[in-house]
Amino acid sequence: MSISADDETLQIFLDESKEHLDGIENDLLAIESAGENVDEDLVNKVFRAIHSVKGGAGFFAFNKIKDLAHAMENLLGLIRKRELAATSEIISLLLKNADTLNLLLNNVENQDSTDISNSLTALKNALTGNLPQEKKQSVEKMLDVKLPDGRTIFQVSEFEIEEAKRAENGGDNVFLLTFDLIKDIQRKDKTPYHIISELIQLTAFVESKLDLEAVGMLDSFSENITIPFYILLTTNMEAGLIEDFVEIENSQISIITIGSGKEAKAAGPGPKASQPELTPPLTADTASTPEPVQTSEPEPAPVEKNNSGEEADLPTSPSGAVHTESSIRVNVKVIDQLMTLAGELVLARNQLVQNVASGSLNDVEKVSQRLDIVTTEVQDAIMSTRMQSIGIVFGKFHRIVRDLARNLGKKIDLILEGEDVDLDKTIIEAIGDPMTHLVRNAADHGLERPQERREAGKSETGTLRLTAAHKAGQVVIEIADNGAGIDPIKLRDKALAMGIYTAAQLDEMNDQALTRLIFHPGLSTAAEVTDVSGRGVGMDVVLSNLSKLGGVVDVDSVKGRGTTVRITLPLTLAIIPSLLVSEQGEQFAIPQINLVEMVRIAARDFKNKVEMIGDAAVMRLRGELLPLVRVRDVLNMKIPNYNDSAAENLSKTEDEDKHETGRQAAGCCETVDNAVNIAVVAAGDFHYGLVVESLLDSAEIVVKPLGNHLRECRTYAGATILGDGHVALILDVVGIGQKIRSTGMETVGKEREAKRITDMVDKENEQSLLLVGNGPGEQFAVPLGLVERIEKIHPSRIENMGDRRAMQYRGGTLPLLALEDNLNLLTKEETETYYVIVFRIRDREAGLIVSRIHDIMDVSATVDEVTYQQPGIFGSLIINETTTLLLDLHSIAAQNMAEYTHDETEALVADTCNAEKGMQTVLVVEDSKFFLKQIQGFVEEAGYKSLTAIDGQDALEVLEAHQDLVDLVLTDIEMPKMDGFGLTERIRSDPRFKDLPVIAVTSVMGEEAEERGRKAGIDEYMIKLDREQILDRCEHFLTQGRQAAY
Amino acid sequence: MNEIKREGDRAVLKPGEDIVSAMAEKILKSELQELLSQEIKELEIDMSTVGMIDSIGLGVLIATHNTLSKSGGKLKVSHVSEEIYDLFKTMSLDRHFDVQAAE
């Protein structure tokens, strides 16, 4: 039998069968876990799937597939009727045979080489062993469906007929349908397979046969030939319906009656000549029936675990791998959309051709817009035909994990999330293997045996969680287990023993870097390579395979807690959004997927922001140090007559002054417009800055692979052709990142770590300030948190009434304050416009007139509270080498209008609305006087009473003294004597205060700190000094109480 | 005219025209009958000159196949035009005897 690829019918059958089989693995597992509570729908679904495979296979004369499917179907029938429990042995048997079916379907041409006799025996034993005695016989009892001429066309077991009668869509009517291959099928533009497919939907199909024998021999040949095609089925439909359905006449349907001696009846009114009958074979025929299975053997649970040598018979298919499909199913809507778009495209082309021919260039512009739109839509539509949900890959893992758990004697819960995330087909196909490897790894090396888990104080069942999610145009897949985690020390020892790194190098690595060593070829923490994972394919292969897909792999592991492998993948490979940059007249593309942000530094700021650490340039970006490299250095672009010695310095600066080098670095990076363009890119968790000459544009580029000779090049990821026909190389951000890292940038990383820690401490006192000017040369700062608005006004708007100033503002009068009125300061500069800083005092607004607004800055507020001490001034600090006075707006207001604030205080007591609020007291704990004042300020503004304490110890004393008064505690974390954690712990342990809401206001961030805070009993963790937010939370806790947070 | 080549128990028959009704039944059938009576084990029908085949023609081919099968022989139909090849496929006849499309 020869099968060619162009055989459409066969291809349809194979595709459909694979589709059917795809789902049943998980369904079988679900049936197994349902145990006693048989979900009939589910069993039916599996039954139907196998049944369809059987039907098709029978027609194509794939007898092995048919027999196997048939035997499986029988077992499933029993499960459905609850005559057979879906034990894990039975399910294993079915799973294994489903694999075999898959294998056979994937290789229909060479079926003969596969021996399924053992599988069949096992299935049959399982069937007969679980059947009641009387039914056992029906399995053996073969019935012949005979034609009037005495020829037997079908041989089916009584059991099979009985099963088919009770099957879904089945019924008591047993029909034999006779088609004429020429008249009923070929001339009606059908194929036998289509007829079978149709009938399977409606009836319980038993068997089909193309009866060439009926044509007879050459010598008995007559002109009136028919080539009959028979189908045997059971149904609850009447013959008439079937006739209509498959378009045959009633003479072509025969009713089969079972039992010897009984006459078969034809369905139609006129009895037809060719009346088949279904009789048990005569004794003489028995020899021709297949060797009966020995039912005498008493086998209660006939499926043995180590069933003969079956494993050896069949090459076990790698069930985790998603095999490459040659065809794909596409929603008709998408096809329709594509058709419409194709039409649009043709129209646009016509327009373009016409316009170009007539030379009307104005219209060309319009057409190009149109083309642009249509092309984008076509691209989207075509992409969507290739998108498939990752569930296809995830689904396989139910089975894999189940089998692994059984083999390894572990208990594993598999949790899948985000199965509906769509990915490009090529990626879906390619991630199967790496993911299988990772899952195997997690199950084998990650999760511990039940006993070990119990000893470690964990539940016996380990959890393996696979998640997929969209994140910023990428797909993030996580494989997380809560197992033993990776021991960085072990890896370190192994790496040392294998001589991959020197001890000194290893000492420099932090735990995360050590953990990443598992991606190194040949490294594994497993004491020995087991059968399950580590079959030659190591993590290094996983890494390189995923990198080929443009993916990034990260590992997070906490010893004893588990391991998470995070894979970040692009949605598609063919077209990627990119940033185009240029260097030395050449254009390069940086994939958007790697791009974090773009920074442009003006030349004058360069020395502040760029420093040299070792011989590497780094930039300060929001408190982080970012290694910088110039594209031209990475690519070794030689610049003719390049005489800027600074460039040399960038690479070989020694112990020079940092600022000096910084400036030199600036010099070399400067472009014509005196600014430096930096593309901040990410290679995994490693961020660095690429200094480029100019940033051009963002564009969607079509990736063309580099030639073979450049395959190993780690600097370029590919090439693309730009709109103007030029070729642009795509920079391999990950590759360049590795290059940088290997050339001593690690030190930067370490410095960065150290810097982060100091920054964290610094941030504790960091504050956003609004810098303003009033008199010449004087600079003042106002905490930004207090500023409501800034209004730009003309001096004429200020109304002077006696010694008071005010302006009309939003339908009311806004009292205005001037700095020189009360403070001993220079007079305001005469300018054309003034600025009014509107702030809130209690529940009224007031404005402060200043002459200039300088800047807003985050300042580490080391406030000198002595030198310039006077009412209205908190103190002084130095910002940008200028002494700046920090204004105390509240005290200025109080000074200027004593009665104003006085009124307010009275109003507070008198105002009934605020009465309740007024009763509530907030204890503010803060060691910095400056912050203390601010927080106290806005707490009081909001209408609460306040008490203050300068550290935890002090706070406890205050609490003790006013134990009934305090309703809420706002505390800093970092404080002398007793910190915020300690304070909260003490509060919680005291029965009097345990229900007191505690809000931490701090800038010590990080999950660890938050976690610690939560443990101590802090109700809310406020990261920044955000007045609105703090007040909001205060209000929340004061009205709802502590429990409200939960 | 039908061309017949013999070589031991193998034979190649090349019909001279389309295998339709009269021609099929009378000439081809009798020639085949005669050929098969001479203990042929492998018969190849070379269809390179055949552009059409009808139900009777098909019947003749199937009958030939049946006759050959009975005596343990094999039928091969070669150089089948695209149209006829599709027909064989549709009717799944290619699963019963060897059908080879024309190059």
Side-chain angles (χ1 to χ4, degrees):
Chain A
M1 182 190 323
S2 73
I3 292 157
S4 51
D6 60 62
D7 191 334
E8 270 183 50
T9 317
L10 175 62
Q11 197 55 47
I12 292 171
F13 163 68
L14 291 177
D15 284 350
E16 284 181 353
S17 299
K18 279 177 201 162
E19 223 164 84
H20 285 309
L21 290 177
D22 265 351
I24 74 166
E25 202 167 78
N26 289 337
D27 292 339
L28 282 173
L29 293 174
I31 292 170
E32 178 184 20
S33 57
E36 298 278 292
N37 313 316
V38 180
D39 178 352
E40 230 171 280
D41 287 345
L42 204 57
V43 182
N44 270 331
K45 192 177 156 210
V46 179
F47 188 90
R48 264 198 308 274
I50 298 286
H51 188 72
S52 304
V53 174
K54 185 188 92 174
F59 163 69
F60 285 107
F62 296 149
N63 290 326
K64 285 189 173 168
I65 297 179
K66 190 189 83 180
D67 293 348
L68 205 56
H70 184 83
M72 289 173 73
E73 194 186 280
N74 286 342
L75 267 191
L76 285 162
L78 287 186
I79 295 175
R80 181 172 55 188
K81 285 181 291 173
R82 292 170 220 254
E83 282 170 17
L84 177 65
T87 59
S88 82
E89 278 78 24
I90 293 284
I91 296 292
S92 290
L93 182 69
L94 287 171
L95 282 172
K96 194 193 291 177
N97 284 300
D99 286 350
T100 313
L101 272 186
N102 244 325
L103 198 69
L104 290 168
L105 283 168
N106 279 332
N107 198 8
V108 281
E109 278 150 273
N110 304 315
Q111 295 197 37
D112 299 342
S113 60
T114 314
D115 179 17
I116 59 159
S117 55
N118 282 330
S119 303
L120 283 180
T121 318
L123 282 167
K124 220 159 200 173
N125 284 344
L127 181 70
T128 49
N130 289 288
L131 276 179
Q133 193 58 38
E134 72 273 13
K135 285 221 171 147
K136 279 186 192 174
Q137 288 171 0
S138 73
V139 177
E140 310 310 326
K141 196 168 163 189
M142 299 307 281
L143 303 173
D144 286 0
V145 179
K146 287 187 179 175
L147 293 174
D149 62 9
R151 284 192 301 124
T152 301
I153 40 169
F154 293 124
Q155 226 181 23
V156 288
S157 71
E158 189 180 329
F159 177 76
E160 197 178 335
I161 295 280
E162 289 304 312
E163 283 298 299
K165 280 184 177 179
R166 281 181 295 166
E168 205 189 358
N169 296 332
D172 282 334
N173 297 335
V174 183
F175 289 143
L176 179 71
L177 274 51
T178 312
F179 294 84
D180 178 32
L181 194 58
I182 293 172
K183 192 164 67 80
D184 297 319
I185 298 179
Q186 199 258 325
R187 291 208 184 132
K188 286 181 182 163
D189 248 352
K190 294 180 182 176
T191 69
Y193 179 68
H194 288 146
I195 289 180
I196 294 175
S197 305
E198 279 179 350
L199 286 172
I200 283 176
Q201 308 283 320
L202 282 182
T203 66
F205 170 86
V206 181
E207 191 134 26
S208 74
K209 189 177 186 184
L210 181 59
D211 186 19
L212 293 187
E213 272 179 53
V215 177
M217 303 290 152
L218 276 172
D219 30 15
S220 62
F221 186 78
S222 81
E223 254 182 72
N224 302 317
I225 59 141
T226 57
I227 308 171
F229 176 62
Y230 296 108
I231 292 177
L232 185 65
L233 52 84
T234 80
T235 178
N236 53 16
M237 290 198 284
E238 294 307 317
L241 271 174
I242 303 269
E243 284 162 28
D244 291 346
F245 187 66
V246 289
E247 297 178 60
I248 50 175
E249 287 164 26
N250 80 11
S251 60
Q252 288 170 280
I253 297 189
S254 315
I255 296 179
I256 308 283
T257 44
I258 298 171
S260 52
K262 278 184 193 169
E263 283 295 306
K265 281 190 290 179
K272 216 210 155 207
S274 67
Q275 217 163 285
E277 46 185 300
L278 187 61
T279 56
L282 303 172
T283 13
D285 289 342
T286 320
S288 69
T289 60
E291 193 64 23
V293 182
Q294 291 175 342
T295 46
S296 53
E297 226 177 292
E299 269 186 286
V303 190
E304 284 163 37
K305 233 181 164 184
N306 304 321
N307 211 331
S308 53
E310 256 174 275
E311 217 95 51
D313 295 340
L314 299 164
T316 37
S317 68
S319 40
V322 183
H323 50 242
T324 317
E325 309 280 350
S326 54
S327 61
I328 187 169
R329 291 198 161 215
V330 179
N331 194 325
V332 178
K333 272 187 193 161
V334 179
I335 302 282
D336 289 345
Q337 194 192 350
L338 275 172
M339 280 307 294
T340 318
L341 289 170
E344 294 274 325
L345 211 53
V346 169
L347 283 180
R349 194 257 333 255
N350 292 350
Q351 273 179 311
L352 186 67
V353 169
Q354 205 169 16
N355 288 338
V356 170
S358 64
S360 54
L361 289 179
N362 288 344
D363 295 336
V364 168
E365 207 168 293
K366 275 186 221 152
V367 180
S368 85
Q369 276 174 9
R370 197 184 162 83
L371 262 179
D372 186 26
I373 296 168
V374 177
T375 311
T376 312
E377 281 177 23
V378 169
Q379 183 190 333
D380 288 348
I382 292 179
M383 281 301 162
S384 70
T385 63
R386 293 186 57 87
M387 293 308 246
Q388 291 187 322
S389 83
I390 199 162
I392 299 173
V393 180
F394 276 14
K396 311 264 173 200
F397 291 115
H398 282 297
R399 166 79 184 281
I400 293 176
V401 170
R402 171 193 182 270
D403 288 357
L404 282 174
R406 275 171 70 101
N407 286 347
L408 298 164
K410 295 177 181 181
K411 293 183 180 174
I412 306 175
D413 260 352
L414 178 68
I415 301 171
L416 302 180
E417 282 166 21
E419 288 158 279
D420 50 353
V421 167
D422 282 343
L423 267 176
D424 192 280
K425 193 169 160 290
T426 39
I427 299 183
I428 292 274
E429 277 161 9
I431 59 172
D433 284 338
M435 277 196 70
T436 307
H437 189 77
L438 290 172
V439 166
R440 286 199 157 128
N441 236 313
D444 189 9
H445 305 318
L447 295 166
E448 316 92 324
R449 271 161 232 287
Q451 197 190 337
E452 293 165 49
R453 291 185 65 89
R454 223 179 308 126
E455 281 162 12
K458 303 191 210 176
S459 71
E460 285 190 13
T461 310
T463 309
L464 185 57
R465 184 184 296 271
L466 303 184
T467 46
H470 282 291
K471 199 174 152 195
Q474 289 165 269
V475 171
V476 180
I477 300 169
E478 283 189 356
I479 298 152
D481 65 67
N482 65 353
I486 298 167
D487 188 350
I489 307 300
K490 255 188 183 172
L491 273 172
R492 182 188 187 282
D493 294 347
K494 203 128 185 181
L496 194 59
M498 292 176 66
I500 298 169
Y501 288 102
T502 63
Q505 281 174 314
L506 288 166
D507 284 341
E508 291 200 348
M509 294 188 187
N510 57 16
D511 280 1
Q512 210 188 343
L514 286 172
T515 307
R516 281 193 71 88
L517 285 176
I518 57 162
F519 290 120
H520 205 282
L523 259 182
S524 162
T525 48
E528 54 189 298
V529 173
T530 63
D531 183 37
V532 177
S533 52
R535 289 174 172 171
V537 189
M539 290 291 268
D540 56 317
V541 180
V542 171
L543 181 70
S544 73
N545 281 348
L546 289 170
S547 302
K548 269 183 212 153
L549 295 174
V552 179
V553 187
D554 282 318
V555 197
D556 265 344
S557 185
V558 180
K559 200 187 163 214
R561 299 263 293 275
T563 309
T564 300
V565 179
R566 193 172 298 107
I567 305 168
T568 310
L569 287 167
L571 286 175
T572 182
L573 298 175
I575 300 178
I576 56 170
S578 298
L579 172 75
L580 294 178
V581 300
S582 84
E583 182 79 35
Q584 304 292 305
E586 298 267 356
Q587 294 192 16
F588 298 96
I590 301 173
Q592 209 96 53
I593 191 172
N594 299 112
L595 197 64
V596 182
E597 61 182 313
M598 287 185 269
V599 179
R600 187 179 166 90
I601 304 179
R604 61 187 152 85
D605 287 340
F606 205 90
K607 67 176 166 120
N608 293 331
K609 296 198 169 154
V610 175
E611 293 169 26
M612 301 299 293
I613 294 177
D615 51 3
V618 294
M619 178 178 74
R620 268 173 207 283
L621 185 65
R622 288 186 289 275
E624 297 259 323
L625 289 185
L626 189 76
L628 293 183
V629 275
R630 292 184 309 163
V631 171
R632 71 172 72 136
D633 287 345
V634 172
L635 306 181
N636 278 331
M637 293 173 107
K638 290 272 183 288
I639 300 130
N641 302 325
Y642 188 60
N643 53 10
D644 191 343
S645 61
E648 304 294 307
N649 285 326
L650 181 61
S651 49
K652 56 171 187 186
T653 313
E654 315 231 311
D655 297 344
E656 287 171 86
D657 166 42
K658 275 192 174 183
H659 283 290
E660 182 62 18
T661 21
R663 194 153 48 243
Q664 282 174 344
C668 77
C669 293
E670 262 173 42
T671 54
V672 195
D673 54 0
N674 284 334
V676 179
N677 296 310
I678 297 166
V680 181
V681 291
D685 53 356
F686 175 61
H687 288 206
Y688 63 94
L690 272 174
V691 180
V692 296
E693 204 172 272
S694 54
L695 302 168
L696 297 179
D697 198 1
S698 66
E700 296 209 318
I701 57 168
V702 179
V703 181
K704 308 268 179 199
L706 291 170
N708 260 333
H709 46 294
L710 289 175
R711 177 126 314 158
E712 291 306 312
C713 176
R714 296 304 317 250
T715 316
Y716 302 117
T720 189
I721 296 167
L722 299 174
D724 59 3
H726 278 100
V727 171
L729 289 162
I730 303 164
L731 296 179
D732 182 349
V733 169
V734 177
I736 295 174
Q738 279 169 359
K739 214 166 156 182
I740 301 174
R741 283 180 130 178
S742 59
T743 53
M745 271 294 175
E746 285 296 337
T747 47
V748 175
K750 263 197 291 173
E751 293 251 355
R752 194 164 61 169
E753 200 55 37
K755 169 87 170 73
R756 237 182 51 199
I757 291 158
T758 47
D759 276 357
M760 222 135 86
V761 179
D762 282 354
K763 265 193 193 147
E764 170 70 5
N765 291 319
E766 197 163 276
Q767 163 79 333
S768 292
L769 294 177
L770 174 70
L771 301 183
V772 298
N774 195 46
E778 286 177 339
Q779 180 161 279
F780 301 94
V782 180
L784 195 61
L786 297 180
V787 177
E788 294 247 307
R789 281 182 300 278
I790 297 171
E791 298 285 340
K792 189 174 173 182
I793 59 160
H794 194 266
S796 64
R797 275 183 72 189
I798 301 173
E799 296 163 4
N800 288 301
M801 306 284 204
D803 60 347
R804 292 281 171 85
R805 293 190 186 84
M807 63 182 266
Q808 285 174 20
Y809 182 65
R810 295 192 172 183
T813 309
L814 181 76
L816 294 178
L817 311 169
L819 287 174
E820 58 272 27
D821 288 355
N822 287 73
L823 306 176
N824 193 9
L825 293 167
L826 296 173
T827 341
K828 196 185 308 302
E829 285 175 281
E830 289 295 328
T831 51
E832 285 196 8
T833 50
Y834 288 144
Y835 294 89
V836 174
I837 299 166
V838 182
F839 61 97
R840 189 165 275 277
I841 177 159
R842 302 273 136 70
D843 55 353
R844 282 211 192 158
E845 287 181 331
L848 177 74
I849 313 169
V850 294
S851 57
R852 275 167 290 119
I853 302 281
H854 290 312
D855 202 356
I856 292 173
M857 267 192 138
D858 285 341
V859 177
S860 226
T862 347
V863 183
D864 175 351
E865 287 167 6
V866 181
T867 318
Y868 292 92
Q869 171 73 61
Q870 61 167 308
I873 303 283
F874 278 128
S876 61
L877 65 172
I878 295 168
I879 299 171
N880 284 353
E881 291 159 14
T882 311
T883 302
T884 308
L885 297 182
L886 194 55
L887 299 175
D888 179 351
L889 291 178
H890 291 109
S891 98
I892 294 175
Q895 271 181 46
N896 255 23
M897 322 174 237
E899 75 294 338
Y900 184 98
T901 40
H902 182 64
D903 278 354
E904 287 295 319
T905 329
E906 277 179 2
L908 194 73
V909 183
D911 196 339
T912 44
C913 294
N914 279 341
E916 202 193 335
K917 263 190 172 179
M919 296 302 288
Q920 290 179 313
T921 307
V922 175
L923 171 60
V924 183
V925 191
E926 170 66 68
D927 59 329
S928 145
K929 208 169 162 189
F930 164 69
F931 277 99
L932 184 66
K933 276 224 158 187
Q934 273 199 40
I935 299 176
Q936 193 189 3
F938 59 65
V939 163
E940 285 185 1
E941 266 170 59
Y944 306 113
K945 277 188 194 161
S946 70
L947 290 168
T948 58
I950 52 159
D951 59 48
Q953 201 87 53
D954 191 20
L956 285 177
E957 281 162 24
V958 175
L959 270 178
E960 199 62 45
H962 307 268
Q963 43 176 288
D964 299 328
L965 265 178
V966 179
D967 298 298
L968 182 133
V969 178
L970 270 178
T971 180
D972 186 21
I973 292 293
E974 296 281 318
M975 290 181 295
K977 288 190 197 162
M978 181 190 289
D979 65 9
F981 299 128
L983 171 64
T984 316
E985 275 160 19
R986 290 286 292 271
I987 290 175
R988 290 287 170 251
S989 62
D990 191 319
R992 287 173 300 171
F993 305 128
K994 68 177 182 2
D995 292 328
L996 203 57
V998 177
I999 300 179
V1001 181
T1002 176
S1003 27
V1004 176
M1005 29 202 220
E1007 248 169 65
E1008 223 170 287
E1010 266 183 65
E1011 183 57 40
R1012 216 184 130 193
R1014 258 194 296 282
K1015 277 198 188 125
I1018 289 172
D1019 293 301
E1020 186 93 32
Y1021 220 89
M1022 317 276 311
I1023 299 302
K1024 279 215 168 146
L1025 236 185
D1026 181 333
R1027 160 198 156 112
E1028 295 297 326
Q1029 221 187 342
I1030 291 174
L1031 289 179
D1032 178 66
R1033 298 319 291 166
C1034 283
E1035 165 126 22
H1036 176 83
F1037 281 108
L1038 284 172
T1039 51
Q1040 316 271 325
R1042 246 203 106 194
Q1043 283 73 19
Y1046 302 100
Chain B
M1 270 311 288
N2 300 329
E3 236 179 87
I4 300 175
K5 275 185 212 157
R6 276 207 60 170
E7 211 177 277
D9 58 359
R10 292 190 69 239
V12 179
L13 183 144
K14 193 172 175 184
E17 51 188 312
D18 292 346
I19 313 180
V20 284
S21 58
M23 137 72 184
E25 206 198 337
K26 297 208 172 70
I27 309 166
L28 189 60
K29 192 184 126 193
S30 53
E31 278 187 23
L32 280 167
Q33 246 173 319
E34 197 197 325
L35 195 60
L36 294 188
S37 63
Q38 303 167 23
E39 295 191 350
I40 295 294
K41 288 285 172 215
E42 269 186 72
L43 174 66
E44 177 179 337
I45 299 184
D46 182 340
M47 307 270 278
S48 38
T49 50
V50 178
M52 229 172 104
I53 187 165
D54 68 354
S55 59
I56 295 175
L58 274 176
V60 170
L61 286 184
I62 295 169
T64 310
H65 161 74
N66 287 342
T67 313
L68 268 168
S69 306
K70 203 177 178 189
S71 59
K74 269 187 183 170
L75 173 67
K76 178 179 173 183
V77 185
S78 65
H79 301 100
V80 180
S81 74
E82 205 181 318
E83 211 170 298
I84 299 178
Y85 185 76
D86 284 345
L87 178 77
F88 282 153
K89 284 271 175 197
T90 323
M91 299 175 71
S92 307
L93 292 177
D94 59 325
R95 311 204 173 279
H96 297 268
F97 49 82
D98 199 354
V99 180
Q100 282 182 358
E103 292 299 310

